[in-house]
């Protein structure tokens, strides 16, 4: 970790290409209203058990929600993200954002990390080398110096916490109830956007759906079954399993 990091965006537009941008619930409403596609990414863990990174306990507990799984319980963490497999639909021919004044929080925060346990590493970001060689000091030690960015990161973390119960209810109403084990992968869904927008407009009740964990590793699956959890390793039909 570098002691001090300078940064100034060069406007190259690379972070607007090939990135699924996490959205707050409100931002997902806007994305749907603008006819954009949302991808839903789900991971789950057992409290103080498999999948839970103990050193991140507070962070992961606050942005997850308990759901029933077999005879046991897991906590589901759900991300609604703008589906951007290529150029973002809002990036114009001059690499400028056409919704700049109302772009999502995460677009405003990049390249800063939202997870407090992940240090900012230029090598893992899309920004060109010159972006890190100019501009004011962004990070000193582990401290983010820009107070405006601090406020945005705080708002993003808070939205994660505020939104998670509603996101789980939407997943349950739309049948998106198979998750990967955190650390082992994600499940990814591309919901029908008409049904998704309707669920966002009128949040469904919590129907208490039964969830399943998609785990392909046989030994890991067997160890999770000892917790009474419902496991599948069937090839997915309605979602993708993105293993690590
Ligand atoms: S919404 Fe704008 S800033 Fe965000 S990824 Fe799309 S083009 Fe880039
Ligand atoms: S990749 Fe980095 S330098 Fe390029 S537009 Fe995004 S934030 Fe700016």
């Amino acid at each position: 970790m570098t002691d001090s990091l300078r940064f100034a965006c060069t406007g190259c537009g690379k972070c607007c290409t090939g990135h699924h941008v996490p959205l707050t619930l409100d931002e997902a409403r806007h994305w749907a209203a603008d006819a954009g596609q949302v991808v839903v990414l789900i991971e789950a863990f057992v409290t103080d058990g498999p999948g839970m990174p103990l050193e991140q306990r507070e962070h992961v507990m606050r942005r997850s929600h308990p759901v029933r799984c077999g005879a046991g319980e897991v906590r589901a963490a759900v991300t609604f993200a703008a589906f951007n497999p290529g150029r973002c639909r809002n990036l114009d021919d001059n690499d400028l954002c056409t919704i700049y004044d109302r772009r999502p929080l995460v677009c405003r925060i990049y390249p800063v990390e939202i997870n407090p346990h992940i240090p900012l590493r230029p090598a893992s970001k899309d920004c060109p080398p010159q972006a890190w060689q100019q501009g004011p000091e962004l990070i000193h030690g582990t401290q983010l110096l820009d107070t405006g960015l601090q406020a945005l990161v705080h708002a993003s973390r808070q939205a994660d916490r505020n939104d998670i119960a509603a996101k789980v209810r939407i997943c349950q109403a739309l049948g998106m109830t198979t998750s990967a084990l955190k650390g082992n992968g994600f499940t990814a869904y591309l919901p029908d956007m008409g049904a998704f927008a309707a669920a966002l407009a009128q949040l469904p009740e919590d129907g208490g759906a039964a969830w399943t964990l998609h785990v392909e590793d046989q030994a890991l699956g067997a160890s999770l079954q000892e917790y009474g959890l419902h496991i599948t390793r069937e090839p997915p039909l309605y979602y993708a399993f993105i293993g690590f």
Side-chain angles (χ1 to χ4, degrees), residues 48-76:
D48 298 322
M52 177 170 165
L54 283 174
E55 70 286 0
Q56 298 186 22
R57 191 178 194 283
E58 186 191 351
H59 176 68
V60 297
M61 286 294 283
R62 292 179 76 177
R63 63 190 304 278
S64 60
H65 191 72
V67 296
R68 191 158 55 84
C69 180
E73 180 185 276
V74 292
R75 292 186 70 91

Side-chain angles (χ1 to χ4, degrees), residues 98-179:
T98 56
I99 60 161
Y100 190 79
D101 289 341
R102 59 180 181 93
R103 68 199 188 286
L105 264 179
V106 166
C107 301
R108 296 164 192 260
I109 291 169
Y110 193 89
V112 169
E113 298 289 354
I114 291 163
N115 183 329
H117 301 278
I118 299 180
L120 173 55
R121 295 187 201 286
S124 64
K125 299 294 172 178
D126 281 340
C127 311
Q130 57 269 37
W132 307 101
Q133 292 158 4
Q134 57 188 15
E137 192 179 24
L138 178 69
I139 304 262
H140 192 89
T142 57
Q143 183 65 33
L144 176 62
L145 299 179
D146 185 314
T147 51
L149 270 171
Q150 282 174 15
L152 293 175
V153 169
H154 176 77
S156 177
R157 288 182 191 156
Q158 193 57 50
D160 266 356
R161 297 164 186 166
N162 294 346
D163 293 350
I164 183 60
K167 288 197 274 190
V168 164
R169 279 157 59 187
I170 291 168
C171 286
Q172 294 181 164
L174 300 184
M176 299 185 286
T177 52
T178 299
S179 172

